[in-house]
Amino acid sequence: MPKPSPALIKKITALKKKINEHNYRYHILDDPQISDVSFDKLFRELQTLEKQHPELITQDSPTQRIGATPLTSFNQIEHAMPMLSLDNAFSDQEVLAFNKRIQDRLGCDKAIEYACEPKLDGIAVSLTYQHGKLIRAATRGDGNIGEDITLNSRTILSIPLQLRGSDYPDTLEVRGEVYMPKKAFQQLNQKLQQAGEKTFVNPRNAAAGSLRQLDPKITAQRALAFFTHSVGAVKKGQLADKHTAILQQFEQWGLPCCPQTQRAQGIEACLDYYHKMGAQRPQLPYEIDGVVYKVNALALQQRLGFISRAPRWALAHKFPAQEELSRVLAIEFQVGRTGALTPVARLEPVFVGGATVSNATLHNIDEVNRKDIRVGDTIVVRRAGDVIPEVVRVIKEKRPQHTHRIQLPKNCPACGSEVTKLASESVARCNGGLYCPAQLKEAIKHFASRKAMNIEGLGNKIVDQLVEKSLIKDVADVYTLTTIQLAGLERLGEKSAAKLCRAIAASKNTSFSRFLYALGIRDVGISTALNLAQHFQQLQPLMQTDETYLQSISDIGPIVATHIKKFFTQTHNKEIIQRLLAAGIHWPKPTLNKKQTPLAGKTFVLTGSLNDLSREEATHQLQEQGAKVSSSVSKKTNYVVVGKDPGSKFSQAKKLGVTCLTEAELQTLLRSL
């Protein structure tokens, strides 16, 4: 490979500088100067050049924020200076007493100048910069020893990898808070809920769970943010003599600080700030649980010193908990669009957190049992800002006699199908996926999707109208639709309706694996559906088999086997399958015995990006020939298909002596079968 020219090195350096400048203006100043499209163009140009010359990639490059290789555990880091906690105050009187102690210790009765900051409800972290480069990040831990989260911190866009300017200290340790903005929290929980996964209770838990991921790529997807609020160890450098001035220095160096921070002359001004922030709290883009007062002058901080666990010169003034008492009138189970059953408490209306609350989520049956919530109980209900109201705890001393523990319903309240809850999971689910009205829209959208029955034109808005107008009550009703019915929908004329009818009719000619995938059996994706289709060849043997036999099939464990068996034992599901077949859905009869498939018993692994085939297409073609496509390389791997920019799987293959194929060689192999 030719040595990169000085001009190229200069170009890459200029691109990094330009991208970092735009990141700074966007994330720190909230003053973007270019459009997202223009920014993406610059970013892709840098990515392209770095791919062509990987030896020029540096750790502080903007392209290196996507996450590194997953860790097996976190290392421990000893803090150069302890990360102390703060004393708390819950009333104005306690704040006035704090100010009086400071004046007494300093021997003055003049008004003290304070720095006032919102107290973010996030995770305390320490960042260490050496010669301007981020070299280490750690959680607070026990104050003396924290966890090494350097790789994860690099994925947070508001944390600079390289400080701006040149007047920063040689070694600079800053402390701050990693948090998840309210909007990002809502989007994350919505995504988890749609996937049928456990949601986070609040943004702080979401931030903690995201920051402590062993796989930095997951952290990179979680939209975390960071504010700097204090300084730790400093070597060979000069900082300002007031806390607020230091924060201004931080911002000049590219470190984000909370814009709501301000100076207050005297303790009464601090209390005014506290009440002002309390009023602004619901509108802030992040969660706060109070404010922090700090003596502004560093010389005074040094004179005041520390007690064993906290500085004498700082105080956290906490907001009152947004909680009230109410009574549980009933507990109902709601069925979500993925079939998850969520218990909901119906409450005596109570005004809390700025709104009247009459319902509260109980999350899942395990949470109900853990808190032992019963109908008739007096409970503490919490509502903070836009967060869904939740039951915090039961006041058991007020429990009436003859109450009963809540039982998970055996049958779905929406359709009557069996409800299943695996011991390893907290969420219970309805098994009537093809029939349940609560799941109907999602079931039809999945059934019609490109990878399933591929009904072109049956999009989300059409499905919504069909369900809302009661034109379809299950997926089998799709094949009873007429041109006249479809033409009556919004945005569908006669021609479009006729075209959609033709697409519905064409979808009847499919494959066994597509049909299985279209049924929406939980955890049965495209690969598993193809695996089942290859093994059973026909539908009836699959529907009649037991869980033990299913587990003998490659890549099907006990949980997936349970999902498959439960699905096919539901009467409603079996009835709809028969109606689908009666409507004319069919697929070619098997022509090859599984043992006759050319690649039976061979294991392939794909790494890197392919030009002509997508990963999905390559996987599908290999599995159709009987091959197993794995995600990891081992001694049992027969072939590794190597595309552009292969990862560690390629290195592992060479180390184990596994045969490697290019994309062209793979296509030649497939054409020869």
Side-chain angles (χ1 to χ4, degrees), residues 501-536:
C501 274
R502 289 193 295 271
I504 292 171
S507 73
K508 295 178 183 180
N509 183 12
T510 187
S511 68
F512 185 21
S513 62
R514 276 181 173 271
F515 179 74
L516 288 178
Y517 175 65
L519 295 179
I521 305 169
R522 191 173 171 214
D523 288 340
V524 174
I526 297 168
S527 296
T528 303
L530 186 55
N531 197 9
L532 289 168
Q534 288 174 340
H535 188 92
F536 286 96

Side-chain angles (χ1 to χ4, degrees), residues 592-640:
L592 280 175
N593 184 283
K594 186 187 174 194
K595 292 182 179 178
Q596 295 174 318
T597 49
L599 298 180
K602 302 294 184 184
T603 299
F604 284 71
V605 172
L606 306 176
T607 182
S609 57
L610 305 179
N611 285 329
D612 299 326
L613 291 173
S614 67
R615 284 283 193 97
E616 181 185 303
E617 289 168 334
T619 299
H620 182 75
Q621 290 188 34
L622 285 167
Q623 289 178 329
E624 279 194 326
Q625 299 302 325
K628 175 185 175 182
V629 179
S630 177
S631 59
S632 58
V633 180
S634 70
K635 291 179 180 179
K636 295 181 180 180
T637 305
N638 299 100
Y639 299 98
V640 172

Side-chain angles (χ1 to χ4, degrees), residues 128-133 135 163 166-173 233-238 253:
T128 301
Y129 289 86
Q130 204 162 67
H131 305 297
K133 284 185 170 56
I135 62 165
L163 297 180
S166 59
D167 59 339
Y168 41 74
D170 282 3
T171 299
L172 174 66
E173 182 202 352
V234 177
K235 293 180 182 177
K236 295 185 180 179
Q238 187 67 38
W253 296 334

